[in-house]
Amino acid sequence: MTFYSYAQTGEQKALEAKRERLQKEIKEINRLLFAERREKGDIIDQMEALDKKINVRQELIRLTNHQSNLLNRQINVNIRTISKLREDLKLLKEDYAKMIRKSYQNKAQNNRLMFLLSSDNFYQALKRLQYMKQYAQHRKKQGESIAKKTSELTELNKDLGEQRKVKEQLLAENRSAKNILSREIASQKELLTSIRQNEARYTAAIDKKRKEARKIDREIERLIRSAIASTNKKAGKSSARTFALTPEAKIVATNFSANKGKLIWPVEKGIKSQGYGLYSDKLYPGIKHRNNGVTITTDKGSKARAIFEGEVIAILSVPGGSRGVQIKHGNYISTYYNLSKLYVKKGDRVTAKDVLGDIYTSRFDGSTKLKFYLYQDSNRLNPEEWIYQL
């Protein structure tokens, strides 16, 4: 849907861009997390997916309210401007009418030629000629001013009509979004009731997820420490926590750092289904969960891709789990986990967008998820601060 046919302010453009992004995100959440295949999925995943959609929907409602309020202020400004223009136009027309009447009166009583010939001397005739020219120019300017004011008034009236239509459309969308939100909150309550009736199953699922996450985290950090030790041994350094960098590696690290917040996604398309950091359990807020990376849900058959140039320094293989790839970008390390097939091996050089492997699709619930991690030396980073709009 195309919004705002009239000139937009910078704030309007930013709000509309964000609004379109949120609408797209909701569509992707529905497509990737709420397809029929998810009905028998993991109950924790269902709860997290529903909570994410509710949060995005609430943000969309808040943003639409902001847009509506901004538009309302602009409509009021337009109303005041139109009122002022109408008053100016009225005065201009009255002044012009007086000028025309005076012109015709002068023409009837004394034509221009007689007016000039009746001059007492050449100097007076010249002054009268200049006066006649100035009067004609003034009439022309008055006419142009009336035409300009009329055009401005017409355009503002048109904009005002468009703004009112947009405002009504925004309000209608907000009403619809609130109705959908109410249904989603009701679904969440139903799911909560179902979980409470099967508490043992829920806590078992939590424990299983925690153990799997700890396995992956330990293996990622073990491989990073190993890579640091190996690199530093070759360079004759003894540090166990930071890479000894060659001049070439320093350039890569500097370029990587300069692209903070602008790095590409590790998949061509998808949504962030679980963010980085510590968060409370949706059912039992006293229980805390930690994600040391981000989880991105994508389409079946999707491939993981390198976010930046670098060197493959390790292949992950977690017992009972999937495989992954670690890439070193100077002293930054990106990790791509939950791959079913790899297209690279240790020692390979890659560039941004190079395909690393196929992302595993769960046979249990049909979901396709990439787990992505980012480190600087042995220090964990938040990928959301580095990947563009993650």
Side-chain angles (χ1 to χ4, degrees), residues 4 10-20 63 66-68 70:
Y4 305 165
E11 186 178 8
Q12 287 170 333
K13 289 179 180 179
L15 286 173
E16 182 57 21
K18 188 174 181 181
R19 178 179 166 281
E20 289 176 357
L63 186 139
H66 188 179
Q67 277 187 291
S68 180
L70 179 62

Side-chain angles (χ1 to χ4, degrees), residues 242-243 245 249 252-254 328-333 375-378:
T242 59
F243 283 98
L245 298 179
V252 175
T254 299
K328 179 174 172 284
H329 319 276
N331 63 329
Y332 292 89
I333 304 97
Y375 281 73
Q376 182 180 15
D377 296 309
S378 55

Side-chain angles (χ1 to χ4, degrees), residues 38-49:
R38 303 287 296 133
E39 290 180 358
K40 295 182 181 179
D42 188 292
I43 197 163
I44 297 176
D45 289 345
Q46 289 181 43
M47 190 67 191
E48 289 177 349

Side-chain angles (χ1 to χ4, degrees), residues 115-116 124-134:
F115 182 59
L116 288 173
Q124 189 182 63
L126 182 62
K127 295 295 287 185
R128 286 183 177 185
L129 181 62
Q130 289 174 342
Y131 167 75
M132 288 164 59
K133 286 181 178 179
Q134 289 171 354

Side-chain angles (χ1 to χ4, degrees), residues 10-193:
E11 186 178 8
Q12 287 170 333
K13 289 179 180 179
L15 286 173
E16 182 57 21
K18 188 174 181 181
R19 178 179 166 281
E20 289 176 357
R21 182 169 62 82
L22 288 173
Q23 287 180 323
K24 182 180 178 182
E25 188 174 353
I26 288 173
K27 286 180 182 178
E28 288 295 282
I29 289 172
N30 285 330
R31 187 174 69 83
L32 294 171
L33 301 184
F34 286 90
E36 289 182 6
R37 69 187 185 204
R38 303 287 296 133
E39 290 180 358
K40 295 182 181 179
D42 188 292
I43 197 163
I44 297 176
D45 289 345
Q46 289 181 43
M47 190 67 191
E48 289 177 349
L50 189 54
D51 190 69
K52 179 174 178 63
K53 186 161 72 163
I54 287 172
N55 289 337
V56 175
R57 185 88 61 192
Q58 287 172 332
E59 186 179 355
L60 178 62
I61 289 170
R62 286 193 296 270
L63 186 139
T64 308
N65 276 333
H66 188 179
Q67 277 187 291
S68 180
N69 291 336
L70 179 62
L71 201 51
N72 201 48
R73 290 197 296 271
Q74 291 170 337
I75 287 172
N76 290 334
V77 168
N78 258 12
I79 290 172
R80 290 193 295 271
T81 305
I82 286 170
S83 179
K84 179 68 167 58
L85 277 175
R86 280 177 176 156
E87 186 63 30
D88 291 347
L89 189 58
K90 180 184 175 183
L91 294 173
L92 274 173
K93 285 182 175 178
E94 288 175 355
D95 189 32
Y96 193 66
K98 289 177 183 176
M99 191 186 305
I100 294 297
R101 283 196 298 271
K102 185 177 179 182
S103 176
Y104 273 103
Q105 288 170 0
N106 290 338
K107 188 174 183 181
Q109 295 169 5
N110 213 356
N111 63 39
R112 293 186 177 186
L113 183 58
M114 290 301 296
F115 182 59
L116 288 173
L117 292 175
S118 64
S119 302
D120 294 335
N121 51 53
F122 177 77
Y123 180 74
Q124 189 182 63
L126 182 62
K127 295 295 287 185
R128 286 183 177 185
L129 181 62
Q130 289 174 342
Y131 167 75
M132 288 164 59
K133 286 181 178 179
Q134 289 171 354
Y135 187 73
Q137 288 174 352
H138 183 58
R139 281 182 60 183
K140 182 181 178 183
K141 285 181 180 178
Q142 285 290 83
E144 289 172 350
S145 184
I146 288 173
K148 182 181 177 183
K149 291 285 184 185
T150 303
S151 176
E152 287 178 9
L153 186 59
T154 302
E155 193 62 31
L156 271 174
N157 275 323
K158 180 182 175 183
D159 280 351
L160 188 60
E162 290 296 321
Q163 287 172 332
R164 281 174 171 155
K165 287 179 185 177
V166 171
K167 182 185 174 183
E168 288 305 313
Q169 199 167 3
L170 282 171
L171 292 174
E173 284 195 13
N174 232 11
R175 287 192 293 270
S176 174
K178 286 176 180 177
N179 289 334
I180 295 171
L181 179 63
S182 296
R183 292 197 295 271
E184 289 170 349
I185 290 173
S187 296
Q188 188 182 48
K189 288 179 179 177
E190 289 178 12
L191 185 57
L192 283 169
T193 301

Side-chain angles (χ1 to χ4, degrees), residues 156-302:
L156 271 174
N157 275 323
K158 180 182 175 183
D159 280 351
L160 188 60
E162 290 296 321
Q163 287 172 332
R164 281 174 171 155
K165 287 179 185 177
V166 171
K167 182 185 174 183
E168 288 305 313
Q169 199 167 3
L170 282 171
L171 292 174
E173 284 195 13
N174 232 11
R175 287 192 293 270
S176 174
K178 286 176 180 177
N179 289 334
I180 295 171
L181 179 63
S182 296
R183 292 197 295 271
E184 289 170 349
I185 290 173
S187 296
Q188 188 182 48
K189 288 179 179 177
E190 289 178 12
L191 185 57
L192 283 169
T193 301
S194 170
I195 292 171
R196 288 191 178 103
Q197 291 171 351
N198 297 276
E199 186 175 337
R201 177 187 167 196
Y202 183 72
T203 53
I206 289 175
D207 288 340
K208 182 181 177 184
K209 274 186 170 291
R210 279 179 169 171
K211 288 176 182 176
E212 289 174 352
R214 281 198 295 267
K215 272 186 189 178
I216 298 167
D217 293 341
R218 283 196 297 265
E219 182 62 8
I220 288 172
E221 292 180 2
R222 184 190 71 80
L223 290 171
I224 290 174
R225 288 194 301 270
S226 175
I228 289 174
S230 176
T231 300
N232 291 355
K233 185 178 180 180
K234 292 177 184 176
K237 305 291 183 180
S238 59
S239 174
R241 295 188 59 82
T242 59
F243 283 98
L245 298 179
T246 62
E248 293 80 4
K250 284 181 181 178
I251 293 172
V252 175
T254 299
N255 291 339
F256 188 93
S257 180
N259 280 276
K260 184 176 182 179
K262 298 179 287 187
L263 294 167
I264 64 169
W265 280 50
V267 295
E268 188 174 347
K269 60 179 179 177
I271 61 165
K272 179 184 67 181
S273 49
Q274 182 57 62
Y276 173 88
L278 194 67
Y279 59 99
S280 299
D281 188 83
K282 303 306 174 187
L283 184 60
Y284 303 105
I287 299 176
K288 304 296 180 184
H289 304 283
R290 174 175 288 282
N291 189 0
N292 288 338
V294 293
T295 305
I296 298 172
T297 300
T298 185
D299 292 303
K300 183 179 181 179
S302 293

